[in-house]
Every structure is written in structure tokens, then in C-alpha cells.
Amino acid sequence: MSIAFEPLTLGSIELHSRIAMSPMTRSRAYGPGATVTSLNAEYYRQRASAGMIVTEGIQPSEVGQGYPDTPGLHTVEQVEAWKSVTSAVHAEGGRIVAQLMHTGRIGHPLLTPGRLQPVAPSAVRAEGYVHTSEGKKDLAAPRELSEEEIEQTIGDFVRAARHAVDAGFDGVELHGANGYLIHQFLAPNTNRRQDRWGGSLEGRTRFGLLVAREVAGEIGADRVGFRISPGNPLNGIEETDVEDVRRVYEHLVRGLADLDLAYLHLLEDRQRAFTHQVRSLWPSTLVLNPFTGAEPTGPKQLALLEDGTADVLTFGRMFLANPDLPARLAVGGPFNEPHPTRFYSGDERGYTDYPALAGSAAAVG
Ligand SMILES: Cc1cc2nc3c(=O)[nH]c(=O)nc-3n(C[C@H](O)[C@H](O)[C@H](O)COP(=O)(O)O)c2cc1C
């Protein structure tokens, strides 16, 4: 049998297989005060056969919300609501970690109850738009965080991680990828600071490393993962100087390695050689979301577990469309096609109504 179906322990998180679900924002947390509902619990329960589920991005603070109807982990009500999700997944024998996502400059005041201006390392506005209660709007200009606010933001991540454990999650994943706050500190076009939070390699990596260190100190490093996407231009990130990217991420990965985290989650951007380099720098589990071009990660990529490129693979769109993905991978398909028009917002259609294979665990539940 493929190594994909063999168990593996990440820090203190025991996976029954190496097929994990990628974090995916679905903008359907319709409960009051950015809380999850029974619909969200059902969606995750259906996917509990994953070796590990990484949740959609969850804001660690009000100002960290950059999309409509994304859930939070900064209030007592949110913690209580998440318990329905974690208990549903655990009842099916699954594992689930909370992805903590502060969107930084990607946002708009209309997306937060307090009409808060988005915050970022520097006051550099991103091109693009967001959907708000008042329709499509250009992304708002962010304001630069003060040093004191940076310290408070680290504290917000720590509190959200504590809340995640209180809510029954098996761990947290810190979102350092895809152009959100942690990534904005790393990239030269979004971090123009000249104080200790910018400039040098140490400066640009300081925020991500401190968030990881403080969160690990709060809940235990063996329950903390970190996601990176070196060179990914999403959300206006410009990491075009290959040498600079290599140096920044080497510094970051070495710093994270010193913290003894449960895992590193690499979202690959074309450069397989760079993936091998990251693996050689990383002492423990490497979770890989491989570069696959326009196609979603699929059965062909299982070879990356066999040849040792990675220890765990994450599947995004295929898991979205196939609640019983591991069972389907085990028999080589068939696979449901994802419907992109139903990725964000909406109801159960394109969310909890993708069928499982007849006879598979997800079909029975
Ligand atoms: C609907 C959707 C929402 C996503 N939301 C997130 C997110 O909240 N956090 C994150 O790190 N990545 C997010 N991603 C990226 C996925 O985790 C993954 O990297 C991407 O889909 C590529 O993997 P795939 O080919 O297996 O789909 C999202 C992707 C999709 C399709």
C-alpha cells in the first residue's frame, strides 16, 4: 500500500494518513459575531477522513478580517461555536488545526463591525477589490502599525491560539503565506519600514518568528505549524529578486526550525529545487502543497510522498469537491469536479452537497 495511507505524528498531532486538507476560506460563517454554525460543522465532519484538516483562515482579531463572513477566534462566542466543529471531526476520528489568518492590508472597513481601517507593516495599498455589504469595493489603503501595535498583534495571535486549544483544536497553523500580514512583513514591496521590524533579513523575518515563538510558548511548539509561499505573487506580493527570496526564507526557515514546531507547510511556486532546499533546512515534518499549474493537486502528486519530497500532502480544491478524498485516492477515483462559482459565500450548494462514493465513510454519516 502507498505510504500515503500510513500514520505519521506531527509534534503531538497523530495523523492516521498523510493526506491532509488545505486551508480554504469559504465565507459562510453566518453565525452572529463571526461565529461558525451547524452548516460549517457538517462541512468539516464530512471531510474528517483527512489525515488532518487545516481550517479556512480564521481572524485572530477584529481588524484581521479581510473577507466577508470569515470566522474568528477572538471572542468567547466564537470559541464556543468552534467546539461544534472540533467535536464533529473528532467524533469521526479526524484531526483539525485552526489556520490563524490576519489579512493585514487586504481588507476594507466595511468588513469589520467597528469599521476599522486595515493595518499593515507599511501604508502601501494593494491593487484589487473585495466584496462588502455595500457591493464590490477597491481594497482600502492600510495604515502603518506602530511598534506598540505590532506587539499587540502578536498578543492577538497568542490569544487566538489559546482560544483554539480551548475550542478543542489539535493545533494551529500560522498563515505566513499568500500575501497576508505575516507575508507582508517578509516582502520588500509591502514592508518599507526602517525600524527593527523591517529593512534587514532579521527585521523582515522578526514578526513571523516572534508570532511563532510566542504562540509556541503559549500552547506548545508541538501543536504549531507555519505556512509559507515563497515567491507567490498573490495579493500584490513582489518577491521577484530570487537571491533575496532565498536569503529571507532560509533565515525564516532556520529560525522556525530552532523553535521545534510540529510542521512547516510549503505552498510551492514552480521551483521544485527550492522545495528540496527547504526540506534540507527543515528538521521535522514537511507538509507540501505542490505546484500543479491550473490543475488542482491530484492523484499524480502522491508520488511526492513515495519519493520523499514531502511527508504530508495537502489537497485543496479536490478536498473541497470530494468529502471522502482519501477513499477515492485509494481506489484511483472517480473524482467530483469543484464548482468555482460556489467557492465563496452562498449556502449548502457547492459546500456540503458534493456526494461521497457509495459505501465510503462520508456517504454513511
Ligand atoms: C476556495 C479557496 C479558498 C482558499 N483559502 C485559503 C485560506 O484561507 N488560507 C490559505 O492558506 N490558502 C487558501 N487557499 C489556497 C489553498 O490552500 C491551496 O493552496 C490552493 O487551492 C492550491 O491547492 P490545490 O491545487 O490543491 O487546490 C484557498 C484556495 C481556494 C480554492
Side-chain angles (χ1 to χ4, degrees), residues 22-25 56-57 99 101 175 178 227 267 289 292 295-297 314-317 320 343-344:
S22 274
M24 281 177 290
T25 291
E56 63 207 279
Q99 189 189 53
M101 171 172 90
H175 195 350
N178 295 355
R227 189 173 215 213
L267 172 49
N289 186 171
T292 49
E295 289 294 304
T297 311
T314 47
F315 296 77
R317 288 161 290 173
L320 185 155
F343 279 179
Y344 304 103

Side-chain angles (χ1 to χ4, degrees), residues 18 20 22 58 62 75 147 174 190-191 195 208 279 309 321 335:
R18 297 154 191 233
S22 274
I58 301 173
E62 182 183 338
T75 71
E147 292 211 43
L174 301 171
T190 45
N191 184 348
D195 60 9
R279 183 152 179 79
T309 303
F335 300 100

Side-chain angles (χ1 to χ4, degrees), residues 117-295:
Q117 184 182 4
V119 294
S122 303
V124 183
R125 198 171 72 79
E127 297 290 319
Y129 62 85
V130 277
H131 292 280
T132 73
S133 52
E134 295 178 14
K136 211 163 141 175
K137 300 271 182 200
D138 283 339
L139 288 166
R143 95 188 150 69
E144 180 176 305
L145 286 162
S146 68
E147 292 211 43
E148 196 187 341
E149 287 171 322
I150 292 175
E151 303 280 0
Q152 283 165 4
T153 306
I154 295 171
D156 291 339
F157 274 97
V158 171
R159 186 189 47 176
R162 168 52 53 198
H163 283 167
V165 171
D166 293 347
F169 283 103
D170 297 291
V172 302
E173 176 173 294
L174 301 171
H175 195 350
N178 295 355
Y180 300 112
L181 185 65
I182 293 176
H183 201 176
Q184 290 160 26
F185 271 93
L186 297 171
N189 70 310
T190 45
N191 184 348
R192 311 244 175 107
R193 303 179 74 101
Q194 292 305 321
D195 60 9
R196 67 195 190 101
W197 302 98
S200 62
L201 283 184
E202 289 74 18
R204 283 156 62 192
T205 52
R206 190 181 312 280
F207 181 72
L209 287 173
L210 275 180
V211 170
R213 192 187 78 188
E214 297 300 307
V215 165
E218 179 72 19
I219 65 168
D222 57 354
R223 292 201 271 200
V224 181
F226 197 103
R227 189 173 215 213
I228 57 173
S229 60
N232 183 348
L234 199 70
N235 289 316
I237 289 291
E238 290 171 21
E239 290 178 323
T240 45
D241 177 342
V242 178
E243 189 49 27
D244 183 66
V245 175
R246 191 190 58 72
R247 287 171 54 235
V248 167
Y249 283 92
E250 261 193 35
H251 192 82
L252 178 71
V253 170
R254 283 185 203 282
L256 293 172
D258 287 344
L259 298 174
D260 212 13
L261 301 187
Y263 69 91
L264 181 69
H265 188 176
L266 173 64
L267 172 49
E268 194 177 50
D269 184 42
R270 290 182 181 79
Q271 307 290 338
R272 184 61 42 88
F274 192 61
T275 299
H276 294 312
Q277 215 175 325
V278 169
R279 183 152 179 79
S280 70
L281 292 172
W282 186 251
S284 69
T285 306
L286 182 68
V287 177
L288 182 66
N289 186 171
F291 177 77
T292 49
E295 289 294 304

